[in-house]
């Protein structure tokens, strides 16, 4: 069955693969800043790779308040498949 009863299967076989990279800049013992990029191919089995490619990146800040507690915040942006 599909997502809605009686509609069949909306997607046949999905494939996803990707690669990502990240770097963490450590300012001192309490502050660090991770940044990264990712690239992904996702779609149905017969989809064109050029139509299935997405990419994005992120940047964050991490505050280490103590040995047992840290807090992170950041932004992520990526394009999407049509």
């Amino acid at each position: 069955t599909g997502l809605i009863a009686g509609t069949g299967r909306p997607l046949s076989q999905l494939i996803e693969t990707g690669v990502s990279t990240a770097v963490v800049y450590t300012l001192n013992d309490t502050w660090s800043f991770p940044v990264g990029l990712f690239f992904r191919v996702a779609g149905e089995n017969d989809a064109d790779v050029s139509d299935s490619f997405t990419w994005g990146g992120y940047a964050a800040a991490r505050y280490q308040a103590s040995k047992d507690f840290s807090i992170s915040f950041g932004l992520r942006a990526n394009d999407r498949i049509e």
Side-chain angles (χ1 to χ4, degrees):
T1 64
L3 296 174
I4 300 171
T7 60
R9 294 178 60 185
L11 303 170
S12 58
Q13 183 178 10
L14 297 176
I15 296 173
E16 178 181 353
T17 189
V19 62
S20 63
T21 183
V23 174
V24 178
Y25 171 71
T26 303
L27 182 63
N28 53 38
D29 288 342
T30 56
W31 285 100
S32 60
F33 303 93
V35 295
L37 295 172
F38 55 89
F39 304 92
R40 182 175 83 152
V41 176
E44 289 189 84
N45 211 16
D46 58 351
D48 290 333
V49 173
S50 62
D51 293 334
S52 305
F53 180 76
T54 62
W55 65 278
Y58 65 90
R62 181 175 188 257
Y63 178 72
Q64 185 76 38
S66 69
K67 181 180 90 161
D68 298 319
F69 179 77
S70 67
I71 188 166
S72 299
F73 54 92
L75 296 172
R76 174 184 162 149
N78 58 277
D79 69 344
R80 61 184 177 150
I81 298 174
E82 293 183 29

